[in-house]
Structures are given as C-alpha cells and as structure tokens.
Amino acid sequence: MFDSAVFGSLFLTLFVIMDPPGITPIFLALTSGRPAKVQRRMAGQAAAVAFSVIAVFGIGGQQILDYLHVSVPALMIAGGLLLLLIALDLLTGKNDEPTQTKDVNVALVPLGMPLLAGPGAIVSVILAVQHAHGIGDQVAVWTAIAAMHVVLWVTMRYSLLIIRVIKEGGVVLVTRLSGMMLSAIAVQQIINGVIQVAHTA
C-alpha cells in the first residue's frame, strides 16, 4: 500500500536539497542568449539527466560507490570543485565556447549534475531506497523522486518568462549574482566533505 509519509518525507528532503526556486537564477544565467526553444529543451534535458543519475544511484548507488572505492565525502568535494569552476566562469563572463557544445554541457554539467543530482540528493535517495520495505514504500519513494523532477522541470521551464521582463542587462546582473551564489554553494560543499573526512579519520 502506498505510504504517503514516506513520499512526503523524501519529497520534502529532495525539495530542500535540490532547491527549485534557488536553481532558477542559475538556470537563467547558464542559458541566457539562447533561443527560447533551445532553453526549453535544455530545461527538459537537465531534469531528465538529473532523474537518470538519481535513478541509477537509487537502484545501485551503494554498490557503485563501493566498487569504485569512492566515499560520500570524496563525492561531495569533487562536486564542489566542479561547481566552483562553473561559478568562476559565471563571475568572469567566460561564455565564449561554441553554442552547440555549450548547450550540451550546460544541460549535463552543471545543471543535470552536480547542481540537481548532487551528492546530497544522491545520498538521500540511496538511504530512502535502502530503508523502503515492501512494494508500497518503494512505490512511494520512486513517486517522490519522479514528482520532484517534474517540479524541477516546471520551475526551469517557466523561469524563462523572467528573461522577457529583465532583458539583457538584467540577465548579466543575474549571471554575476548566480556566480556568487554558486561559488558559496561550492565552497560549502567542499567544507562539508572535508569535515566528514576529518570525522571519519
């Protein structure tokens, strides 16, 4: 039987970690200057990539990490460093790579992973799947995961309306602010990973 408590708990956890409202300015900054059709496609790609990564780790995440001898703190630090590189590009305005490659990279990295499907979301899903006993709990867990990614897609898809209001100058401002936000997120993620390493040492 469907467990609404399990659904609600995981959905709220993922909502806080993946932060759909917070991803909006970063999405706008990374997709600025592209045709609306391309931006809509990238919103779908990013949500699909994030769901795929989360699903893979939900099914066999612990086995994957054990096989690769990768700890969760190491995953957090690596993700933080990757986010920091993207943040520096946003802050310095380095957006001169070819459009087609840029489109693919933005949808995959950093939007799909590690911004959406980051270490926090991956670990939360791994634990939720491990603690889900019975078909009802499993259905609740996967329904929560799917619902969260629908929310993410809707948020990014309709955040494009903001671009029409703020125009090009506003996009530049959002890009710089997003770079600051993203750099803070990246540094905090690295700090959290280092702290966990220190605790387990």
Side-chain angles (χ1 to χ4, degrees), residues 25-189:
I26 297 174
F27 175 78
L28 292 176
L30 292 173
T31 61
S32 63
R34 296 172 176 80
K37 183 178 180 180
V38 174
Q39 291 172 319
R40 288 193 293 269
R41 186 178 75 241
M42 290 175 66
Q45 288 176 339
V49 168
F51 178 80
S52 300
V53 172
I54 291 292
V56 168
F57 277 94
I59 294 172
Q62 193 58 58
Q63 291 81 358
I64 293 173
L65 293 180
D66 291 343
Y67 177 77
L68 296 175
H69 303 289
V70 174
S71 65
V72 172
L75 189 64
M76 295 176 68
I77 294 172
L81 291 173
L82 179 58
L83 288 181
L84 189 57
L85 290 176
I86 302 298
L88 292 175
D89 280 348
L90 291 177
L91 284 169
T92 56
K94 294 180 180 178
N95 291 318
D96 52 357
E97 57 183 311
T99 302
Q100 185 175 0
T101 304
K102 187 177 177 182
D103 286 350
V104 175
N105 286 343
V106 169
L108 299 177
V109 178
L111 284 176
M113 182 178 182
L115 272 177
L116 298 179
I122 289 173
V123 172
S124 297
V125 168
I126 290 176
L127 294 177
V129 171
Q130 289 178 348
H131 295 156
H133 303 294
I135 296 178
D137 286 358
Q138 290 287 346
V139 170
V141 165
W142 288 102
T143 302
I145 294 171
M148 185 66 249
H149 285 82
V150 170
V151 170
L152 286 168
W153 172 75
V154 170
T155 302
M156 291 186 291
R157 169 69 173 76
Y158 290 99
S159 67
L160 300 177
L161 298 175
I162 300 175
I163 294 180
R164 300 178 186 176
V165 177
I166 63 177
K167 306 299 182 183
E168 185 176 349
V171 170
V172 174
L173 177 60
V174 168
T175 299
R176 299 299 182 265
L177 291 175
S178 299
M180 292 179 60
M181 292 168 52
L182 196 55
S183 62
I185 293 172
V187 171
Q188 187 61 57
Q189 190 164 298

